[in-house]
Every structure is written in structure tokens, then in C-alpha cells.
Amino acid sequence: MTSFVATVRPSEYVTILDLSGDLDAHTSVQLERTIQDLIQKQHYNLIINFSKLNYISSAGLGVFMAFIDDIRAKGGDIKFSNMPEKIYQIFDLLGFPMLYEIYADEKEAIEKFKTSAAS
């Protein structure tokens, strides 16, 4: 098992959250606290970069479901990027692509936030 790290990286239009390691029932609390902290600081446009995430459990998936309605109600969104194939397959199996925008590249997700803000 690899330890889990969630690193917050501010960008011009969004806040990027880089995930690495294993996101499971034990480590999902850390992600939950990080997203709560971002919401309290009024960071509502989030990109979750999964490029270094090795594993995600149902508890990890649940963290995203717990916050999406609140963030969208505040005019923001959560977009996903850089998902390894094995992580994407889990999200796809559970229908997440119908609820979340998933981008191959972080830059694409940033551009989507920019164009949404301009319209």
C-alpha cells in the first residue's frame, strides 16, 4: 500500500488538487478535509489530477459525490484530469462520466473552466 497525498496547487482560474498514492477508507478522510478547506476558502472551481493515484476505493469515490452538489450550488464544478486507465475504468463502470467532466489533460480542464466563465 502506498501512502496518500493530496497537494493543493492554485492556478489562474482554478484550484488543482494533485492526488497520489492509495485513496481508500482510511485516507479518504484526508481528501474530505482538503476539499472542505477549499470550499471554506471559496475555491469552487476544482480540478482533480489523478496522474499519480494508484488506487481508489468506494470511500474515495464517495468523497467526490459528497461535495459535487454543494460546489455546483455555489457556481463551481469539479473536473477530473489525467486519469490512469485503471482508475478511469472504475469511474466509467459506476457512471461517473455522466456526472463529471473527465479530461485527458489538465490544460483541457483549465480551458473548459475559462470558456465557461467567459460565456
Side-chain angles (χ1 to χ4, degrees), residues 39-50:
I39 291 171
Q40 287 175 348
K41 293 176 180 173
Q42 301 181 349
H43 294 254
Y44 304 129
N45 291 332
L46 306 179
I47 295 174
I48 312 297
N49 186 321
F50 290 85

Side-chain angles (χ1 to χ4, degrees), residues 96-115:
F96 273 61
M98 295 175 61
L99 303 171
Y100 296 87
E101 295 175 27
I102 301 174
Y103 296 91
D105 184 86
E106 181 182 291
K107 290 179 183 175
E108 292 177 50
I110 292 171
E111 285 302 314
K112 182 64 176 178
F113 271 118
K114 285 181 182 177
T115 57

Side-chain angles (χ1 to χ4, degrees), residues 2-30:
T2 310
S3 63
F4 174 75
V5 178
T7 305
V8 175
R9 188 165 36 100
S11 182
E12 186 176 355
Y13 293 94
V14 300
T15 300
I16 299 164
L17 198 52
D18 294 306
L19 306 184
S20 63
D22 294 344
L23 180 56
D24 58 20
H26 300 287
T27 60
S28 63
V29 176
Q30 180 184 346

